[in-house]
Amino acid sequence: MAIIGGPSRWFWLALFLLLTAEIQAGLPTSAVATAHPLATRAGIETMRRGGNAFDAAVAVSAALAVVEPSGSGLGGGGFWLLHRASDGKQVMIDGRERAPLAAHRDMFLDEQGSFDQKRSIDGPLSAGIPGMPAAIIHLAEKYGRLSLETSLGPALRLAREGFVIGKSYLKLIGFRYPVMLAYPAAAKIFLVDGKIPGPDFLLVQKDLAHTLEQISERGRDGFYSGPVARAMVRGVRAHGGLWSFSDLEQYRVVEREPIHANYRGTRVTSASPPSSGGVVLSEALNILSGFDLARSDAIGFKHLVIEAMRRAYRDRARYLGDPDFVSMPIERLTSLPYGAALGSGIRIDRSGFTAEMDTGRSEPEREGQDTTHFSIIDAEGNRVAATLSINYPFGSCFVAPGTGVLLNDEMDDFVVHPGSGNVYGLTGGEANMIEPGKRMLSSMTPTFLENPERVAILGTPGGSRIISMILLATLDFEAGKEPDSWVSVPRFHHQYMPDVVEYEKGGLSDDEIQGLQAKGHDVKELNRQYGNMQAILWDKMTNRVTAASDPRREGLSLVE
Ligand code: GLY
């Protein structure tokens, strides 16, 4: 009998196994890095239940709202940068807060017409309309595969059963204690009989659990209308705030195209306006790509990075705001020729040009621990970098009775008063002035870095210093370093105004300080370290995933 030609079934089986093995070898393992061990475990638990990185992002966002109330929450907002492996789609979910419809430019002036910063950071007048609940619902419905109820499960459990607070909670509640005391519903939850709690305090949040349940059962309506919305509007208005039901009903997330840049062969994908993060980062990288950093000594390298920061932050103040309200020259700002033009003005021997415009404002209080960031990758290669915030530690310190929802004080991210910096010393122009329904400019910089060999997912809290931290980490990535180096690299910062190079303890050596001073830089040591970076690296060549949490704080990264 003649044998029919063509490959045998053994051939096909072998080919199938080979291909499957190749596909397997081309996929990462999953990993989660967050600012709190319980939130990291919530993300891992969600993926073990069959969820993808987007379901895990819902679980982590909600868990952080419970276990790290100083940094983010249902009463705040954020930016979720997504990469979907199946089609390579990259998008930024803009869940940024927006100004109430009754907001106006003079809302933070006192009775004498003078700017009163307390009004823009303490209490419900400082609160924008929250975007976080809408964003996590959108994320679950459009990108996740588990039910909202499943992904919110860990957060609900943590709110109901409680958890023992950590060191950061204790430190930051002390920082905001006097404001918290002024708002009884918040004090009842976060203090013990009006006092700062002890280290073994079990924080149980029954009202927040109820609000999470409402969201899990009713979706948007569980937060933006119905009893939770009524309690929030009533509470805010009773304490001098401007919210209305229309504000909550009208809130929508927006899917935005991220900012892309190319730095020496690394594709940078980062947050677009209303965050300034991606634009400032791209601009600084474009400036630096005109210099041979590898040949600079440590002082020369830092001088160039500082001068790049100065110029990029200047454009933040000049041009950036909410893209739904202002038109911005984004293409020009993020172009290489523009970066080259800015770079050509840098003098190697001396510092730049802020002084004639410097307001000279000092900012002794900036903490750098407000806001939060998490990074996730799943075994299909889906990625999430999300930076979330309620702005200052514990936001406005205001909770509407019965809701458990700590409201943000994000209104301070607007130009709250022409000529004055905000709480981070950031200044700005017309583009970021308060208008009804407008989103305030942010510095949050969730970022992906990718070259032919490696993929990075990273971000950090830290107010105006967020962008400079991501810049330093990007340069470290480009130098071939690993996540534990990016998250711990010594930090220094310049934001155009005030004209001062700030550095964390250990951020500059004595030689570097002297060298920078000799070039004319005003150099100031901060009395602490700052930032809380959470980073993941997927090495596509070895298919190894590594993750790191900033050693300065108590985060946890896990690789499965
Ligand atoms: N609230 C900090 C930021 O958005 O930049």
Side-chain angles (χ1 to χ4, degrees), residues 523-538:
V523 180
K524 177 177 138 195
E525 186 188 50
L526 301 167
N527 61 7
R528 60 187 170 272
Q529 294 184 306
Y530 61 84
N532 193 3
M533 191 170 287
Q534 308 296 327
I536 292 174
L537 171 69
W538 171 25

Side-chain angles (χ1 to χ4, degrees), residues 96 371 389 391 410 413 424 442-444:
R96 181 68 161 164
T371 307
S389 186
N391 200 29
E410 219 77 65
D413 275 348
Y424 304 110
S442 170
S443 299
M444 292 190 274

Side-chain angles (χ1 to χ4, degrees), residues 73-318:
L74 297 182
F79 300 104
W80 289 253
L81 187 65
L82 314 183
H83 171 94
R84 186 165 62 189
S86 58
D87 58 0
K89 175 178 173 161
Q90 295 192 321
V91 70
M92 182 183 85
I93 308 294
D94 169 0
R96 181 68 161 164
E97 299 90 330
R98 48 178 251 174
L101 296 168
H104 55 91
R105 287 177 183 213
D106 296 337
M107 63 189 279
F108 298 118
L109 302 186
D110 64 16
E111 290 67 28
Q112 284 72 47
S114 311
F115 171 54
D116 178 3
Q117 186 133 51
K118 283 197 184 323
R119 293 180 184 220
S120 68
I121 55 173
D122 301 339
L125 188 65
S126 67
I129 306 304
M132 160 94 138
I136 58 177
I137 293 164
H138 180 82
L139 197 50
E141 287 175 352
K142 185 155 178 196
Y143 296 95
R145 60 166 79 109
L146 299 181
S147 67
L148 193 57
E149 191 188 358
T150 307
S151 298
L152 294 183
L156 195 52
R157 196 176 62 229
L158 288 162
R160 254 197 221 125
E161 295 172 9
F163 67 99
V164 177
I165 59 167
K167 274 197 262 162
S168 291
Y169 183 101
L170 274 176
K171 183 173 169 218
L172 295 171
I173 196 81
F175 178 65
R176 295 293 270 156
Y177 175 65
V179 187
M180 190 73 83
L181 267 186
Y183 298 109
K188 200 165 158 233
I189 300 167
F190 299 109
L191 303 175
V192 177
D193 299 328
K195 307 240 166 22
I196 294 175
D200 51 3
F201 175 49
L202 181 77
L203 177 58
V204 175
Q205 300 173 79
K206 296 266 189 238
D207 288 344
L208 183 59
H210 176 71
T211 298
L212 280 164
E213 240 163 20
Q214 291 284 306
I215 295 171
S216 131
E217 283 164 17
R218 302 175 55 213
R220 260 193 78 88
D221 291 349
F223 187 87
Y224 292 95
S225 59
V228 172
R230 278 198 293 280
M232 287 193 299
V233 171
R234 211 173 28 236
V236 163
R237 295 187 79 88
H239 289 83
L242 302 177
W243 290 20
S244 66
F245 293 115
S246 307
D247 281 313
L248 291 168
E249 272 156 17
Q250 286 181 24
Y251 186 87
R252 293 288 180 276
V253 292
V254 184
E255 290 210 347
R256 299 194 194 271
E257 175 68 22
I259 294 291
H260 298 288
N262 195 313
Y263 179 67
R264 299 178 198 272
T266 292
R267 180 175 159 86
V268 180
T269 305
S270 193
S272 51
S275 176
S276 59
V279 174
V280 175
L281 177 65
S282 304
E283 225 182 292
L285 290 169
N286 286 339
I287 294 170
L288 291 173
S289 59
F291 296 88
D292 191 353
L293 294 181
R295 290 169 70 100
S296 301
D297 61 15
I299 297 166
F301 171 85
K302 290 186 174 167
H303 169 68
L304 289 171
V305 173
I306 289 161
E307 290 305 317
M309 289 175 184
R310 180 198 304 276
R311 285 157 177 78
Y313 273 91
R314 177 194 55 180
D315 284 349
R316 179 197 197 278
R318 276 191 181 167

